[in-house]
Amino acid sequence: MGANLEIADLKKLARRRVPKMFFDYADSGAWTEGTYRANETDFSRIKLRQRILVDMTNRSLASEMIGQPVSMPVALSPTGLTGMQHADGEMLAAQAAEEAGVPFTLSTMSICSIEDVASVTTKPFWFQLYVMKDRDFVINLIDRAKAAKCSALVLTLDLQILGQRHKDIRNGLSAPPKFTPKHIWQMATRPGWCLKMLGTQRRTFRNIVGHAKSVTDLSSLSAWTAEQFDPKLSWNDVAWIKERWGGPLILKGILDPEDARMALSTGADAIIVSNHGGRQLDGAHSSIAMLPRIVDAVGDKIEVHMDGGIRSGQDVLKAVALGAKGTYIGRPFLYGLGAGGKQGVTTALEIIRKEMDITMALCGKRDIKTIDGSIIAENPFAV
Ligand SMILES: Cc1cc2nc3c(=O)[nH]c(=O)nc-3n(C[C@H](O)[C@H](O)[C@H](O)COP(=O)(O)O)c2cc1C
């Protein structure tokens, strides 16, 4: 795969290897994409403290997320249609995460099913739940995740309705892809992708097809979401889902201190400060800007995680310094997957691990567990 030194290298490669409609699906935010951009750029506004002449030997990035050991506090975000970035994408990414010692989170809207991923992994992965109006289907999903021995349920709360993403509409995104001249051209110019896709049976939403009743037009993601996702989802639903699941529960999509306090009262194990990678409420603050306020509100009572805009190990370190016990990466691993399948995801994780390790040392620290606000020189988002 050549010399890939930073996540941007993997993004460049993915753009060349993945058909435009699927590459754009990953590289898009809602409306003006302002929040999507801010997620990345706000990290660069936080400055680190350079320290010298401290012992830099024996460094460790090992830590815990919801009590589970992780080789570094970086999990793979749940992402829909991952099996369209690369054939069998979710299975390959899960294997890469397992080998790297970090959690993999499977999306409800994945191409490979819970059972597919369980069949190629040996350790438990996490499952992300979207709540549909069809409660029997939701209960069935929870039970399937339990049967597959998933070790955490990530309940996403910021997508009761879908944010408008212009690129997807213009591209006529669907899975499996339509066979119009435009879509055929997009695929024909990516022969490696096509060849691998022809070699797998997994080309539709396998968590859903054959499991949910009355699935009419699943190929149109936006139409299906509008029809099936529950716009009336409430805090009361969190209670019954928690009870039905009975295991570690992570609430995803919290961007406001008031919602963080509500989340606290559910008894969940962790919350993820997230704006869905800038794909939902464009115009909202970046995740890293809101992290200090949410940590200030609930950080001593519940484990706080964050995602959105992490493109380097430095970003992870900054999030940890501002109080995140764990972080997640979405696009970085998707770009890796598109660029080079399982090896590409491994490379993305290695890039981040190496950047984090060296940065930690240059900040004068040896153990990620000791990272706190003292490594920050300047933070415009401080409470
Ligand atoms: C292509 C794509 C698909 C996504 N699908 C889901 C999903 O199915 N469920 C979910 O909870 N979040 C989904 N997200 C949001 C991610 O879980 C995560 O919050 C976001 O990607 C983090 O930002 P980052 O991509 O900048 O790291 C998706 C994000 C992307 C980029």
Side-chain angles (χ1 to χ4, degrees), residues 62-122:
S63 163
E64 285 184 354
M65 288 170 74
I66 54 162
Q68 300 178 17
V70 292
S71 69
M72 59 178 171
V74 181
L76 269 52
S77 292
T79 53
L81 282 82
T82 302
M84 286 290 144
Q85 302 294 333
H86 187 286
D88 298 336
E90 291 90 354
M91 293 156 74
L92 300 177
Q95 287 177 323
E98 179 170 304
E99 284 167 23
V102 299
F104 171 78
T105 317
L106 183 72
S107 163
T108 292
M109 301 307 293
S110 55
I111 300 295
C112 303
S113 66
I114 298 174
E115 294 77 12
D116 289 332
V117 173
S119 75
V120 296
T121 49
T122 60

Side-chain angles (χ1 to χ4, degrees), residues 25-26 36 39 77-80 85 107-109 128 130 156 252 274 276-277 279 307-311 328-332 334:
Y25 172 65
Y36 174 31
N39 272 351
S77 292
T79 53
Q85 302 294 333
S107 163
T108 292
M109 301 307 293
Q128 174 265 325
Y130 276 134
T156 298
K252 177 172 185 281
S274 174
H276 216 97
R279 299 162 76 80
D307 74 19
I310 291 177
R311 298 294 175 267
Y328 300 73
I329 50 169
R331 276 97 171 184
L334 292 176

Side-chain angles (χ1 to χ4, degrees), residues 60-63 71-73 316-317 320 356 360 365-372:
S60 169
L61 297 175
S63 163
S71 69
M72 59 178 171
V316 176
L317 209 65
V320 171
M356 202 187 325
M360 184 172 76
K365 298 278 186 187
R366 298 196 296 180
D367 186 348
I368 191 93
K369 294 199 208 81
T370 67
I371 295 295
D372 58 18

Side-chain angles (χ1 to χ4, degrees), residues 339-353:
K342 181 180 162 188
Q343 179 55 49
V345 178
T346 299
T347 303
L349 288 166
E350 277 171 3
I351 288 171
I352 286 180
R353 189 190 303 277

